[in-house]
Structure formats: C-alpha cells, structure tokens
Amino acid sequence: MRRTSAVPAVLLAAALTGCAGSTDEGKPVGSAQPTTPSRQAAPADPQPRTTTEFLARAEEAMAGHKGWTFTVKGREGLVLRGQENAATYTATVRRTTGDAWALHSTGSTLSKGVSKPEEIYVADGTAYVKKGTAAWEHGPVTDPEFADRVEDPLAALHAFSGYGDEVTLATPDGRVELRTRTTTAPLTGVRDRDVVQKALRELAPTLRQLRTAGVGAPENEIAVEGVEETLVLDAATYRVTTHTFKCTFLIPYDGQRIRYEQELSERTVGTYDGTVTLPKGLA
C-alpha cells in the first residue's frame, strides 16, 4: 500500500504520498455361490499437515470459483518528534481467477481530513488507475510503480509459497494460521528475508521522497522494528479468510528516528460470479 502523502512537519509533508475382489479358494468346485465383488471406498484425501500442503489446498479452493470479493483496509504513516501524519485506505476488490484473471477495485483514501476516491482495474497484464478527478493512468502490472498501487488479495498465496521455512503453522479453533515474522534488527541483518524484501518494496516510494527532501537514510543505518504477515484459512474448506501485513521501519534523521508504519488487512467476503469489464476508452 502506498497511499500516504503525509509526513509530520515540513520535511515529512514532502515525503509520503483401490478395489479388491473375493476368492473361493478351498471350496469344492461348483459349490461357490454367486457373489457381489466387495468394494472399498476410495480413501479420502489425507489431511494436510505442512505449510506447503495447506497452501496447495488453499490455492485449489480459491481456484474452484470464478471469482471472489474482498474488503481491504490499510493505513500508512510517518512519525517524527511526536508528530504523526498518516493516511488510511478502504476498498472493495472483485477479483476473478484463472490464468486470464482480472481485478476491479473501488475505494478511497483519507488523508488530512480529505477523502479522495480511487478506482483500479487490472486486465490482460495492464493496470489502470484513477485517483480523484485525475485522468486514468496505466502501465504493466509488473511495473513497480503500478504493482505498488494494486492490492491483490490472492497474491498472498503466491508470496507464502515462496517463504519456505520462514512460515510457522498453527491450527487454533476452526482455522489455520500461516505466519512469518521478524523482530527488531538492523536492516542489513534481515534484508535477505523474503518478507522483509516485500516490506522494502512498500517502503521504497517513501524512502525516495524522504531522500529528495534531504533525508540521507542510508540502508546500513535503517532498522526493522518488525515485519509480520499472516494468512488465515478456514480449517474445513481451506479457503482464505483473511490476510494481514504489518511493517515498521526506523529511519535515522538529525540524531533522531523517523518511524514508518504500514498495516494492511484483506478479508474474503464471498464468491464473485460476475466479469471485470474495462470502461469504454480503456479497452
């Protein structure tokens, strides 16, 4: 999420934007009575036990429907010398499945008491973004500038599949929790972890703007206060119910630290049977 365009004070204001048969062996010839071959029920699929198995079941469950509807809530902010500037984001996302997947998101950003609508489409590998009354922008969804604007709840499944041993598994009442996290550490000590790499992609636009505003922010002096990502599945259907992501970085500035925070929460509302169609003029 990269919604904020707010930072405390003048400086910060510039930075954020089987079957078996029977036998008759041992009976006299001709004494066997007609029998119906016994049939064993096919064994049920074994219960998943590892994170890899749970993720495979989740991918299968989510791919079993034409599409899904999600709600998205996010918050991003910076704190310096006790002054905080933050923005919040809410949206409804309709996302189809399959190889030729598409997405339509409608939402709004609230910053400094001003709410601005935002609409996003993704189709045929291209993202289309409209913020407020501005004209539509578009570009490849793989372009970091546009990828940073698209909240795709199903992308979390792909991300967790790449985390490997970084993921812990818990199965509390009626749900399956997959989680990866890192605690406070210098960025240089944990930057190779996949979940930290994801957090750094979220931080990058803010870092660029801070540096433009005069904050050096060398990586060897930035600290990770914490990064945590959680994927929750329904224990019976293996469908994704919620996905959350949180990260906090401490950025040195003038003998103090700028605190960067981001929180994202995505919740599955239900199935979506419609289609995503681009508005006229965008197709």
Side-chain angles (χ1 to χ4, degrees), residues 14-37:
L16 271 183
T17 40
C19 182
S22 62
T23 65
D24 297 309
E25 197 173 316
K27 294 184 180 181
V29 176
S31 68
Q33 298 297 315
T35 59
T36 301

Side-chain angles (χ1 to χ4, degrees), residues 39-159:
R39 295 188 179 184
Q40 288 183 327
D45 289 340
Q47 293 294 315
R49 296 181 182 279
T50 67
T51 58
T52 299
E53 291 169 345
F54 275 112
L55 287 168
R57 290 292 184 90
E59 290 181 357
E60 182 180 5
M62 300 307 284
H65 289 271
K66 182 179 179 180
W68 297 90
T69 299
F70 305 90
T71 57
V72 177
K73 294 182 179 180
R75 179 185 177 279
E76 187 180 34
L78 290 175
V79 180
L80 174 63
R81 298 184 182 126
Q83 298 182 64
E84 180 180 27
N85 217 333
T88 58
Y89 176 74
T90 58
T92 297
V93 177
R94 296 171 179 84
R95 205 270 203 195
T96 64
T97 59
D99 291 337
W101 65 272
L103 177 150
H104 181 210
S105 171
T106 53
S108 62
T109 301
L110 179 63
S111 178
K112 297 181 180 180
V114 178
S115 178
K116 291 185 178 181
E118 180 175 281
E119 187 170 13
I120 299 172
Y121 285 91
V122 176
D124 297 326
T126 300
Y128 304 83
V129 181
K130 181 178 176 61
K131 301 181 69 173
T133 59
W136 285 95
E137 299 178 76
H138 70 277
V141 73
T142 54
D143 184 326
E145 178 183 350
F146 288 92
D148 190 45
R149 304 184 188 188
V150 176
E151 306 296 352
D152 176 11
L154 291 186
L157 282 171
H158 177 73

Side-chain angles (χ1 to χ4, degrees), residues 237-275:
T237 65
Y238 307 112
R239 295 177 179 177
V240 176
T241 58
T242 60
H243 166 243
T244 59
F245 178 82
K246 302 177 182 179
C247 65
T248 304
F249 289 91
L250 302 176
I251 304 164
Y253 172 67
D254 195 23
Q256 300 187 54
R257 286 180 168 181
I258 300 171
R259 181 186 180 93
Y260 170 87
E261 302 173 321
Q262 184 186 132
E263 297 181 14
L264 176 70
S265 174
E266 300 167 330
R267 181 176 297 275
T268 306
V269 177
T271 58
Y272 174 64
D273 295 324
T275 58

